């Protein structure tokens, strides 16, 4: 992630101070990430990606290209995120496989304007948070929402929940 962050800063000719202002992440943390001394949380990584107006997978580096499920790339506090399809500039989308451990909740920062998320529950049950309200989804159910507001996911059950998260960077009007 450090090399990708340094490259993104270089492409925009941003100092650490400017990057901090655009991302909301401290200069110290950004420097630690670039030097490989720290790994950001999923929320911090989203803040960085949003600040640069880049897809989340930009910061993951090279990904496997075979047709097998990838290894989990980010694991923190009972959430695991694996990239199924990295960002595709033609479709302006990326697809993740998320696993929430029992009784885990993850809140996400608002993404940039025009970002739309699709969730499809593969196994278990979950709730997603949008517009200050939690909504229930069971296995096989799905939803689409504008992700440029605070949103989140939680698993209230005693079993793991797995779902696909498809993110589309439309830059257009809301759904």
């Amino acid at each position: 992630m450090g090399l990708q962050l340094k490259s993104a800063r270089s492409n925009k000719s941003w100092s650490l101070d400017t990057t901090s202002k655009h991302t909301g992440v401290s200069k110290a943390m950004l420097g630690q990430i670039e030097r490989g001394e720290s790994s950001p949380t999923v929320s911090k990584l989203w803040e960085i990606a949003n600040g640069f107006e880049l897809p989340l997978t930009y910061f993951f580096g090279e990904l496997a290209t075979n047709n097998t499920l990838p290894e989990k790339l980010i694991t923190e506090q009972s959430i695991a995120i694996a990239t199924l399809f990295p960002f595709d500039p033609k479709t302006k989308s990326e697809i993740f496989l998320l696993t929430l451990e029992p009784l885990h909740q993850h809140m996400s920062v608002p993404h940039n304007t025009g970002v739309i998320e699709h969730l499809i529950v593969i196994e278990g049950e979950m709730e997603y948070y949008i517009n200050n309200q939690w909504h229930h989804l069971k296995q096989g159910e799905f939803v689409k929402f504008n992700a440029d507001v605070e949103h989140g996911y939680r698993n209230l059950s005693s079993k793991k929940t797995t779902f696909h998260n498809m993110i589309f960077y439309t830059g257009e009007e809301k759904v």
Side-chain angles (χ1 to χ4, degrees), residues 115-134:
V115 174
I116 297 170
E117 288 193 25
H118 294 71
L119 308 178
I120 303 172
V121 180
I122 304 303
E123 183 177 350
E125 296 184 31
M126 65 176 286
E127 291 186 338
Y128 68 98
Y129 180 83
I130 194 78
N131 299 326
N132 298 314
Q133 189 174 355
W134 288 99

Side-chain angles (χ1 to χ4, degrees), residues 117-167:
E117 288 193 25
H118 294 71
L119 308 178
I120 303 172
V121 180
I122 304 303
E123 183 177 350
E125 296 184 31
M126 65 176 286
E127 291 186 338
Y128 68 98
Y129 180 83
I130 194 78
N131 299 326
N132 298 314
Q133 189 174 355
W134 288 99
H135 307 273
H136 189 81
L137 292 174
K138 297 183 288 188
Q139 183 173 337
E141 293 184 331
F142 51 89
V143 67
K144 172 173 90 169
F145 59 86
N146 296 305
D148 56 359
V149 296
E150 182 183 36
H151 56 283
Y153 327 102
R154 71 181 178 188
N155 177 1
L156 297 177
S157 76
S158 60
K159 297 180 181 178
K160 289 183 183 182
T161 296
T162 303
F163 63 100
H164 288 153
N165 184 349
M166 293 159 281
I167 301 175

Side-chain angles (χ1 to χ4, degrees), residues 20-52:
S20 178
K21 289 176 184 169
H22 282 272
T23 63
V25 178
S26 73
K27 284 176 25 177
M29 172 64 85
L30 292 166
Q32 290 171 353
I33 294 167
E34 280 192 9
R35 293 187 301 274
E37 297 171 356
S38 178
S39 294
T41 64
V42 174
S43 295
K44 287 289 180 212
L45 196 54
W46 263 117
E47 289 177 29
I48 293 168
N50 287 338
F52 280 103

